[in-house]
């Protein structure tokens, strides 16, 4: 049975679309929670639009991204690696936690400075879920052994992807005067988000 040229073209299109489906990118997932003092709380960033760039990590979308230097008066959102709260699949999978250092007034949308918080010490195995634990780890030093590789750092994927650090020599700027490195590295991302965090007002819950 012969097919018309139009029918053959339609069949080819269907076959191409079927073959392309497995390779379609996975939809973005939204970050809607963070840790505060070890407890999970809601976190809702201002939504982006087609004309506004979003802050994303892998498939995870936070919301509208503003580029700015850190400023006193803003609250802090730390992206902590490694962590088990949000995972990124792929050739080099990794995961991270989000931590906020305070909660604004219920329902208030405020500005947050974003910081990368990356574990360097392989001995830092306890998951960090509060700013207090994060700062304590940052204040402590460790001496990397002679055979230390950047891949030995628990948060090496974020180092490579977002700080463009692929070797131990590139950590030189973060060494203490003693020559040691911090167990946990905190670096400004120069990103600002507008977001609410914590419980919403009673009037919003009832809607």
């Amino acid at each position: 049975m012969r097919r018309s040229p139009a029918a053959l073209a339609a069949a080819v299109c269907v076959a191409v679309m079927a073959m392309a489906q497995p390779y379609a990118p996975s939809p973005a997932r939204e970050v809607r929670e963070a840790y505060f003092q070890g407890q999970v709380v809601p976190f809702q960033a201002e939504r982006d639009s087609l004309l506004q760039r979003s802050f994303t990590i892998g498939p995870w979308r936070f919301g509208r991204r503003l580029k700015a230097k850190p400023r006193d008066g803003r609250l802090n959102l730390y992206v902590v690696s490694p962590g088990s709260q949000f995972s990124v699949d792929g050739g080099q999978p990794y995961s991270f936690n989000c931590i906020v250092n305070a909660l604004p007034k219920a329902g208030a949308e405020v500005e947050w400075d974003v910081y990368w918080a990356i574990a360097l010490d392989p001995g830092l195995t306890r998951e960090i879920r509060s700013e207090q634990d994060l700062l304590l780890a940052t204040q402590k030093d460790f001496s990397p052994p002679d055979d230390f590789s950047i891949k030995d750092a628990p948060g090496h994927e974020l180092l490579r992807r977002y700080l463009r650090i692929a070797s131990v020599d590139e950590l030189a700027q973060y060494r203490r005067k003693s020559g040691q490195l911090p167990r946990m590295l905190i670096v400004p991302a120069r990103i600002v988000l507008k977001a609410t965090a914590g419980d919403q007002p009673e009037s919003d819950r009832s809607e």
Side-chain angles (χ1 to χ4, degrees):
M1 180 177 179
R2 294 183 179 180
R3 294 186 180 182
S4 67
L8 287 173
V12 170
C13 288
V14 170
V16 170
M17 291 177 65
M19 292 175 63
Q21 285 301 316
Y23 303 99
S26 59
R29 291 171 280 181
E30 296 183 343
V31 172
R32 290 294 174 258
E33 63 182 30
Y35 284 108
F36 173 63
Q37 296 181 349
Q39 302 298 317
V40 175
V41 298
F43 182 85
Q44 177 73 55
E46 184 180 41
R47 293 185 178 275
D48 57 356
S49 69
L50 293 177
L51 300 178
Q52 298 168 326
R53 189 176 180 185
S54 179
F55 173 42
T56 60
I57 298 178
W60 295 101
R61 176 180 282 117
F62 287 75
R64 187 165 74 96
R65 165 181 177 164
L66 304 174
K67 292 191 70 174
K69 295 180 179 180
R71 188 183 70 195
D72 291 341
R74 292 193 187 117
L75 299 183
N76 298 335
L77 170 69
Y78 301 98
V79 177
V80 184
S81 179
S84 60
Q85 191 176 22
F86 304 102
S87 61
V88 177
D89 300 325
Q92 295 293 333
Y94 59 98
S95 57
F96 61 93
N97 290 345
C98 289
I99 295 175
V100 294
N101 69 324
L103 297 180
K105 182 180 177 181
E109 186 178 67
V110 300
E111 293 185 342
W112 303 75
D113 282 322
V114 179
Y115 290 86
W116 304 116
I118 302 173
L120 301 182
D121 184 0
L124 193 59
T125 58
R126 179 168 171 259
E127 190 165 324
I128 295 178
R129 297 178 178 177
S130 71
E131 186 192 42
Q132 181 180 8
D133 289 342
L134 177 61
L135 296 180
L136 285 174
T138 304
Q139 293 167 6
K140 295 180 179 179
D141 302 336
F142 88 103
S143 297
D146 294 338
D147 60 349
F148 181 78
S149 166
I150 201 68
K151 289 187 176 181
D152 295 327
H156 69 90
E157 270 302 308
L158 257 67
L159 280 176
R160 181 179 67 85
R161 292 172 185 266
Y162 297 100
L163 297 186
R164 301 292 188 266
I165 293 177
S167 70
V168 176
D169 290 342
E170 292 174 303
L171 289 172
Q173 60 181 312
Y174 303 112
R175 287 186 181 271
R176 314 290 200 200
K177 291 182 179 180
S178 62
Q180 296 180 319
L181 287 169
R183 301 192 72 194
M184 175 71 68
L185 180 67
I186 297 180
V187 180
R190 296 182 179 273
I191 295 171
V192 173
L193 298 175
K194 288 185 177 180
T196 61
D199 293 333
Q200 298 299 306
E202 292 293 336
S203 58
D204 292 345
R205 296 180 192 174
S206 60
E207 293 179 357

